[in-house]
Amino acid sequence: QRALMPEAPPEVDGIRFAWRYEPCDELAGDILDVVQLPDGSLAMYLLDVSGHGVPSALLSVSLSRLLSHLGEDSMLVDRSDSGTARPVAPEAVASRLNDRFPMDPRTRQYFTLAYAVLDPATRELRYVAAAHPGPIRIGADGSHEQHPPSGLAIGWFPHAQYPEHPPPP
């Protein structure tokens, strides 16, 4: 699992990214990544598939591949006819995942998700936190602010809505 995690945080002027990953003794469904989007913004996600073992690990790897893919059929970017790529809104990404990965009635497998898009130029952060803790913003002076979650876990209810939070103050 550690091999699937990013090797190092991205380097962006004036912004520091950090995380600490402590895997449990068995396979599980936790994974994160930071993906540079074609317009220069960054997509960031942290997800946790319910349960432990091979089924949870397999779903988290599948989700990671889906959320890191930037090809023509990417879930993260919309491409115009001219080829320009725009980030998909976090609420739309969460809704698409919810529609694509309904809870399996046999395994009762679902996942929580924190997904954000950061525009480094404007410092605008838009995010959803589907039954996952929201991001923590730490200011240069050490002040910090925990942002709220914004919806149900992915897969619990068809057509669930995932309100997108605006940039932090």
Side-chain angles (χ1 to χ4, degrees):
Q1 282 180 274
R2 195 178 300 272
L4 297 172
M5 305 299 275
E7 290 184 22
E11 293 184 25
V12 178
D13 280 344
I15 300 173
R16 278 195 349 227
F17 296 89
W19 55 80
R20 180 178 173 159
Y21 178 68
E22 293 290 330
C24 64
D25 293 334
E26 56 186 287
L27 280 175
D30 306 294
I31 201 155
L32 68 91
D33 203 357
V34 179
V35 180
Q36 181 88 44
L37 299 177
D39 72 341
S41 60
L42 298 163
M44 303 169 279
Y45 67 86
L46 174 62
L47 64 89
D48 182 6
V49 177
S50 62
H52 294 282
V54 173
S56 296
L58 287 174
L59 181 54
S60 73
V61 169
S62 296
L63 290 164
S64 173
R65 296 295 185 238
L66 187 63
L67 290 170
S68 299
H69 172 68
L70 296 177
E72 291 299 316
D73 58 345
S74 173
M75 180 174 280
L76 305 183
V77 293
D78 283 330
R79 297 183 190 282
S80 68
D81 292 337
S82 66
T84 305
R86 287 187 2 234
V88 172
E91 64 186 350
V93 170
S95 292
R96 290 174 185 179
L97 287 168
N98 188 68
D99 292 344
R100 196 164 180 178
F101 294 93
M103 185 187 317
D104 182 326
R106 287 179 329 189
T107 63
R108 306 197 53 82
Q109 199 171 45
Y110 63 90
F111 59 96
T112 64
L113 171 75
Y115 178 78
V117 175
L118 173 67
D119 180 338
T122 64
R123 302 291 202 256
E124 178 185 38
L125 177 74
R126 299 174 306 151
Y127 76 92
V128 295
H132 206 91
I136 300 171
R137 180 184 172 275
I138 302 173
D141 63 356
S143 64
H144 61 280
E145 179 182 5
Q146 170 83 46
H147 292 275
S150 57
L152 301 167
I154 303 290
W156 276 6
F157 295 103
H159 313 297
Q161 299 296 306
Y162 296 92
E164 183 174 302
H165 287 274

